[in-house]
Amino acid sequence: MVKLTTHDRAAALAAGLDAFWQWGFHGTSMKDLERATGMHPGSIYTAFGSKRGFYVAALDRYTEDVLADLRRHASETASPIEGLAGFVEAIAQDEDRSARSCMLVKTLLEHGEGDETLRRSAESGIAAIETEIGNNLRRAQQRGEVSASLEVEHAARRIQLNIMGLRSFACRPGANESVALMAQDIASEIRKLKQVPS
């Protein structure tokens, strides 16, 4: 079998992620993946080892996409807090992605007490995103933007829980307006972490 190029693998992962996101692990058949990716079964197995291996790779891709979005927003402003707030506001503006629940949470709900491999992969992604949010808060502390007494781990977890809830709520039909308002509320809460200059 011919090994996939980096570009082809990325395209296959994007297509596979969309399929798994829509139908879940058990609801997505190999035929679904073949149609989504345009790949033959042998090529899928060569590239990912199994359907489970494909799903884990798709979860990793999802996590990398979220981390890239977080870092992009952080790079677009000198304020780590504004970067986090902007990241949240962008969720409501992205009609394609905001209308889907968090892939990591969806995986835990489907496999929380079942498939150990998928559960661990989802938990690893959640931990990585929480760590990145915490890194932004620590940078804000170093800049004197937020209080040095802020409990970073607790604040990062709270922000992530709010984001997960926002993405889950966005799955409801006709929720766009409410999602936009909630995103603004969450962003406002993040901005309230800023210290008022003395």
Side-chain angles (χ1 to χ4, degrees):
M1 293 289 179
V2 178
K3 186 176 180 180
L4 289 181
T5 65
T6 300
H7 173 76
D8 289 341
R9 181 180 174 84
L13 277 174
L17 176 58
D18 283 343
F20 284 128
W21 210 339
Q22 182 174 355
W23 298 304
F25 177 73
H26 292 300
T28 305
S29 67
M30 286 301 296
K31 283 293 183 185
D32 291 328
L33 293 175
E34 290 171 37
R35 283 192 291 268
T37 63
M39 296 170 66
H40 296 296
S43 298
I44 292 176
Y45 284 112
T46 297
F48 304 106
S50 64
K51 188 175 89 167
R52 179 174 285 98
F54 199 165
Y55 191 94
V56 169
L59 274 183
D60 290 344
R61 164 66 184 265
Y62 174 84
T63 300
E64 290 166 4
D65 286 349
V66 174
L67 292 173
D69 279 347
L70 273 166
R71 290 164 184 157
R72 178 174 58 81
H73 282 281
S75 71
E76 291 175 349
T77 175
S79 164
I81 292 299
E82 284 301 320
L84 283 175
F87 170 78
V88 172
E89 290 170 335
I91 293 174
Q93 296 167 10
D94 188 341
E95 294 183 3
D96 181 44
R97 290 299 175 99
S98 66
R100 303 175 178 181
S101 64
C102 173
M103 182 72 170
L104 301 171
V105 173
K106 185 173 183 176
T107 300
L108 286 180
L109 291 174
E110 188 177 2
H111 304 284
E113 297 181 358
D115 194 307
E116 183 76 5
T117 299
L118 299 187
R119 181 183 65 79
R120 286 185 177 180
S121 182
E123 288 181 345
S124 176
I126 288 171
I129 294 167
E130 187 175 309
T131 295
E132 187 63 26
I133 293 171
N135 289 341
N136 277 274
L137 294 176
R138 288 188 182 87
R139 284 193 289 272
Q141 281 183 325
Q142 292 167 1
R143 291 171 50 86
E145 191 175 9
V146 302
S147 171
S149 65
L150 177 72
E151 295 182 10
V152 169
E153 289 79 7
H154 177 79
R157 185 159 297 174
R158 178 179 173 83
I159 291 170
Q160 187 177 36
L161 285 173
N162 282 338
I163 292 170
M164 288 176 176
L166 180 66
R167 289 191 186 278
S168 296
F169 187 86
C171 294
R172 298 177 62 183
N176 287 353
E177 185 175 346
S178 295
V179 169
L181 290 173
M182 287 191 295
Q184 290 173 9
D185 287 346
I186 295 169
S188 178
E189 288 183 14
I190 292 172
R191 290 185 173 106
K192 286 177 182 177
L193 294 174
K194 288 184 180 182
Q195 296 191 110
V196 178
S198 57

